[in-house]
Amino acid sequence: MLLLAACGQNSNEPAGGNNTAGTSPANNNANASGGNSQATGTLADAQKKGSVTIGFANENPYAYKDADGKLTGEAVEIARVILDRLGIKEMKGELTEFTSLIAGLQAKRFDMITAGMFINPKRCEAVLFANPEYSIGEAIAVKQGNPLKLGSYKDIADNDKAKVAVMAGAVELDYLKASGIPEDRMVIVPDQDAAISALQSGRADAMTMTGPALQSRLDSAKDAKLERVMDFEQPMVDGKDVTGYGATAFRPEDTSFQEAYNAELEKMKESGELLEILKKFGFTEQELPGDMTSSQLCEG
């Protein structure tokens, strides 16, 4: 459910939640090659101090404090590596409600947002995004061998015997409906564990949630009779791919910081280091961002 809170796409608030949709001239300089010109502004200050304060929302697997109180998560650990290479050795966390992260950045309560925030045009009006560090799409799991040969939501819609388990209130409900799956073939469950149980018991022939969430559930279940459909075809809703892309965000004036960050992120992509960090938090090769840039995403 935490993944859904971070990655659902139905909210309309302009300054928080991974769910809003405008354009931003501030992101026109974002590109994969980056390029660290002489550091100015927040980057120069952080390098001088040797520390930076990040805003996070305590959402696993993006940015959260573990049982020992350590700040971690995919976004945090990626940032930790990049900041260290930029000469910033200390990372301080400022816990903030997700919907208040952008406002907190604007108010200079912290220097950057490291919370796995989705890039979309509306947010690009308020912040300067680095290039994406991950992508998230939908995923399904089925019984071993995929007996109904389900590779997409359309396959489920076209098979009048196929039932799919989905969490109540999840954005996937809208995607399933848009794909033509009738409600009487949706097994509505209260949480992720209940989706696993529905699939194991045969009440459902598939279960669906975002890729990392589904992988996490399968890893926890350790049930060899279940498998993820790795060649799953992402649904199209209103002619658009539903894949979301998450990234670190800076204040619009901090182009020096963004460019330096992008340059180091690109090195991590090329070396495979980015994937190794993502894997620790339930992501797979399917969640790599590819060549997508923040400029493209900000343009919609």
Side-chain angles (χ1 to χ4, degrees):
M1 294 303 285
L2 287 171
L3 279 160
L4 290 165
C7 302
Q9 299 185 7
N10 291 330
S11 172
N12 293 313
E13 80 282 6
N18 269 348
N19 320 321
T20 56
T23 40
S24 171
N27 276 276
N28 290 341
N29 294 328
N31 56 65
S33 60
N36 185 8
S37 56
Q38 186 175 0
T40 59
T42 303
L43 174 58
D45 291 342
Q47 289 174 328
K48 184 176 180 180
K49 293 187 298 184
S51 67
V52 70
T53 302
I54 66 164
F56 75 104
N58 219 37
E59 290 187 291
N60 187 342
Y62 307 104
Y64 61 98
K65 285 191 175 181
D66 64 17
D68 297 324
K70 179 188 174 184
L71 184 59
T72 189
E74 62 80 20
V76 170
E77 298 306 334
I78 291 167
R80 199 186 302 279
V81 171
I82 291 175
L83 293 171
D84 182 73
R85 290 171 183 171
L86 292 177
I88 304 166
K89 305 299 182 181
E90 184 181 4
M91 182 189 295
K92 302 174 183 178
E94 181 74 23
L95 178 60
T96 304
E97 289 185 8
F98 197 92
T99 53
S100 299
L101 282 169
I102 290 179
L105 181 66
Q106 293 170 330
K108 298 189 176 182
R109 286 178 49 210
F110 34 84
D111 304 307
M112 53 196 285
I113 297 171
T114 307
M117 180 177 281
F118 272 13
I119 303 171
N120 64 38
K122 188 65 177 178
R123 289 194 180 125
C124 293
E125 295 176 358
V127 300
L128 182 66
F129 279 105
N131 286 327
E133 59 206 30
Y134 73 86
S135 67
I136 280 189
E138 299 307 313
I140 62 171
V142 296
K143 289 289 184 66
Q144 186 180 33
N146 196 0
L148 296 184
K149 308 302 179 187
L150 304 175
S152 66
Y153 287 165
K154 185 178 184 301
D155 289 343
I156 298 173
D158 291 345
N159 188 328
D160 59 12
K161 294 182 180 179
K163 293 186 176 182
V164 56
V166 59
M167 288 181 292
V171 70
E172 285 82 10
L173 283 166
D174 293 334
Y175 298 163
L176 294 174
K177 291 175 185 176
S179 299
I181 300 171
E183 291 187 24
D184 63 1
R185 288 201 281 118
M186 298 182 201
V187 181
I188 312 298
V189 295
D191 54 38
Q192 295 172 342
D193 290 335
I196 286 277
S197 296
L199 182 57
Q200 290 172 321
S201 67
R203 291 191 297 118
D205 303 289
M207 71 173 191
T208 186
M209 56 190 75
T210 59
L214 183 135
Q215 190 63 48
S216 174
R217 291 301 88 204
L218 290 177
D219 290 346
S220 296
K222 294 182 173 60
D223 188 341
K225 295 180 180 180
L226 304 181
E227 65 180 51
R228 179 176 177 175
V229 177
M230 295 305 293
D231 56 351
F232 178 72
E233 181 181 333
Q234 290 297 317
M236 300 288 286
V237 177
D238 296 328
K240 296 180 181 179
D241 189 328
V242 302
T243 303
Y245 294 82
T248 290
F250 306 92
R251 284 184 285 274
E253 64 270 22
D254 281 330
T255 55
S256 177
F257 208 165
Q258 178 230 33
E259 289 169 1
Y261 198 94
N262 276 346
E264 294 300 330
L265 179 63
E266 185 63 21
K267 293 175 187 176
M268 293 176 70
K269 290 180 185 178
E270 293 173 354
S271 69
E273 189 175 10
L274 177 64
L275 178 58
E276 290 307 307
I277 293 175
L278 289 173
K279 281 181 175 179
K280 296 175 183 178
F281 298 95
F283 295 74
T284 69
E285 288 185 22
Q286 289 196 339
E287 282 78 50
L288 285 171
D291 296 327
M292 186 64 70
T293 68
S294 57
S295 290
Q296 292 171 302
L297 294 163
C298 286
E299 291 168 2

